[in-house]
């Protein structure tokens, strides 16, 4: 894989890696870097050899948010016309499982990037937070909305109004991260999960992700209808035949993603 500006990109077997690589600025996300991340995600999503993608940060942080130097001079008309952050919306269209392995700081846009991933593993030393209020702005990439949905409005408002930092344990207690692990084991734990997922039927992973994302937004029965259609759809796949045959023949299935 070709490295792009401010990130390192490589593939290890079926696991694609994107490492945020601007350690001198705690991986603050400038616009070139945001486009690079989205571009790498799209490349992995289309790559037949990649089953799962892991995003992590180099140095002492996952990411300390969007680049404040770059944002400082923004004006609303230019923001509206150029819409420099729109590229970020493409992340929700990635169909493969995305794992975030976070450590150090996951602040503002860095927290939002982690929340855009499907599973989040956090090192014990991670500090999460939305400090935008201290800059006279507010989260702009889903932070306000996702925190409210996860914590309810009272708790969400307290975190968002104070800009206080949340420990990894607190984030886990709020259901925002999957697991808190010792910093030294972070990549090992993320890789173990990535490899486990890469052995599952790719179409099942994909349609489960699509259904869970719909379930988060839709009313119960509407979401259940989508679930049932996707369940039926999987019976058109070779992997459904293989998975069920393997069970009956008491052997390990070999999935092909078709
Ligand atoms: N931007 C630019 N530079 C940053 C930075 C950032 N977010 N965070 C750190 N740096 C730089 C510092 O300026 C410093 O640079 P030099 O002075 O060495 O040149 C270097 O990284 C080291 O930082 P410190 O000297 O501050 O180091 P400390 O250990 O004292 O503190 C810290 C580390 C991470 C706690 C602190 O740097 C900090 O508070 N950073 C800012 C955190 C923050 O406020 N983040 C939120 C930014 S607002 C959207 C998408 C995304 C967003 C919005 C809209 N759409 C899709 C619409 C996101 C917005 C945000 O994230």
């Amino acid at each position: 894989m070709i490295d792009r500006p401010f990130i390192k990109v490589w593939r290890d077997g079926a696991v694609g890696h994107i490492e945020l690589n601007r350690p001198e600025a705690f991986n603050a996300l400038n616009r070139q870097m945001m486009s690079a991340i989205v571009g790498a995600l799209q490349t992995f999503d289309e790559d037949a050899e990649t089953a799962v993608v892991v995003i992590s940060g180099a140095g002492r942080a996952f990411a300390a948010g969007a680049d404040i130097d770059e944002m400082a001079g923004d004006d609303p008309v230019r923001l509206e016309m150029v819409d420099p952050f729109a590229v970020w919306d493409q992340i929700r269209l990635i169909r493969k499982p995305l794992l975030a392995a976070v450590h150090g700081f996951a602040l503002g846009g860095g927290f939002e990037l982690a929340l855009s991933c499907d599973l989040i593993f956090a090192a014990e030393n991670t500090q999460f937070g939305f400090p935008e209020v201290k800059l006279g702005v507010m989260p702009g990439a889903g932070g306000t909305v996702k925190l409210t949905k996860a914590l309810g409005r009272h708790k969400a408002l307290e975190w968002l109004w104070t800009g206080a930092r949340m420990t990894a344990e607190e984030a886990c207690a709020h259901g925002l991260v999957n697991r808190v692990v010792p910093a030294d084991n972070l990549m090992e734990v993320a890789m173990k999960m990535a490899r486990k997922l890469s052995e599952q039927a790719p179409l099942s992973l994909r349609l489960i992700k699509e259904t869970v994302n719909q379930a988060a937004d839709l009313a119960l029965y509407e979401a259940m209808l989508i679930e049932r259609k996707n369940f039926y759809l999987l019976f058109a796949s070779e992997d459904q035949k293989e998975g069920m045959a393997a069970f009956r023949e008491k052997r390990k299935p070999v999935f092909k993603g078709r």
Side-chain angles (χ1 to χ4, degrees):
M1 281 275 166
I2 305 161
D3 283 347
R4 297 166 188 248
F6 306 110
I7 60 173
K8 282 191 179 162
V9 185
W10 71 96
R11 186 166 58 74
D12 178 0
V15 183
H17 288 257
I18 300 174
E19 185 183 57
L20 313 182
N21 189 30
R22 202 188 165 205
E24 68 286 359
F26 287 92
N27 298 322
L29 301 156
N30 61 32
R31 283 158 204 178
Q32 243 191 314
M33 191 172 172
M34 289 190 192
S35 297
I37 294 166
V38 173
L41 284 171
Q42 289 169 332
T43 303
F44 278 135
D45 210 31
E46 287 159 17
D47 174 30
E49 305 295 314
T50 306
V52 181
V53 182
V54 176
I55 306 181
S56 61
R60 289 190 288 148
F62 179 68
D67 188 328
I68 297 168
D69 295 328
E70 201 175 47
M71 274 187 301
D74 270 335
D75 76 84
V77 174
R78 205 191 77 83
L79 284 174
E80 180 59 35
M81 294 307 284
V82 180
D83 207 359
F85 291 104
V87 66
W88 225 217
D89 296 348
Q90 303 296 318
I91 299 176
R92 62 176 295 120
L93 301 179
I94 302 295
R95 293 152 301 181
K96 289 179 181 165
L98 302 185
L99 277 54
V102 306
H103 75 288
F105 297 105
L107 304 175
F111 195 177
E112 288 168 322
L113 174 59
L115 290 171
S116 301
C117 294
D118 303 313
L119 303 180
I120 307 177
F121 298 99
E124 283 165 347
N125 66 8
T126 316
Q127 297 183 46
F128 295 91
F130 288 111
E132 286 88 341
V133 69
K134 299 177 187 175
L135 300 169
V137 289
M138 62 180 284
T144 325
V145 181
K146 289 178 183 173
L147 213 63
T148 305
K149 289 201 176 198
L151 274 59
R153 63 184 290 272
H154 299 99
K155 286 187 175 159
L157 279 170
E158 186 176 340
W159 289 112
L160 292 160
W161 273 349
T162 60
R165 294 204 198 128
M166 200 183 276
T167 64
E169 286 297 347
E170 283 172 315
C172 198
H174 284 313
L176 296 169
V177 310
N178 291 76
R179 210 162 302 161
V180 180
V181 297
D184 289 344
N185 298 347
L186 178 65
M187 290 315 292
E188 181 191 323
V189 170
M191 280 303 292
K192 195 169 167 199
M193 176 60 82
R195 289 206 186 93
K196 184 186 272 188
L197 295 184
S198 71
E199 289 169 10
Q200 311 286 30
L203 284 165
S204 294
L205 293 176
R206 177 184 292 225
L207 291 184
I208 289 169
K209 175 167 171 168
E210 183 191 298
T211 309
V212 167
N213 287 349
Q214 298 273 8
D217 291 337
L218 296 177
L220 183 88
Y221 190 55
E222 283 174 84
M224 285 179 67
L225 290 178
I226 291 173
E227 179 188 57
R228 196 160 71 223
K229 294 284 181 218
N230 282 340
F231 171 75
Y232 290 163
L233 179 58
L234 286 169
F235 284 79
S237 70
E238 287 179 25
D239 283 350
Q240 174 267 327
K241 311 278 177 287
E242 166 64 8
M244 294 193 181
F247 174 81
R248 301 175 82 195
E249 291 159 19
K250 302 191 188 306
R251 61 175 173 84
K252 214 172 164 224
V254 180
F255 293 120
K256 296 192 176 128
R258 50 179 199 252

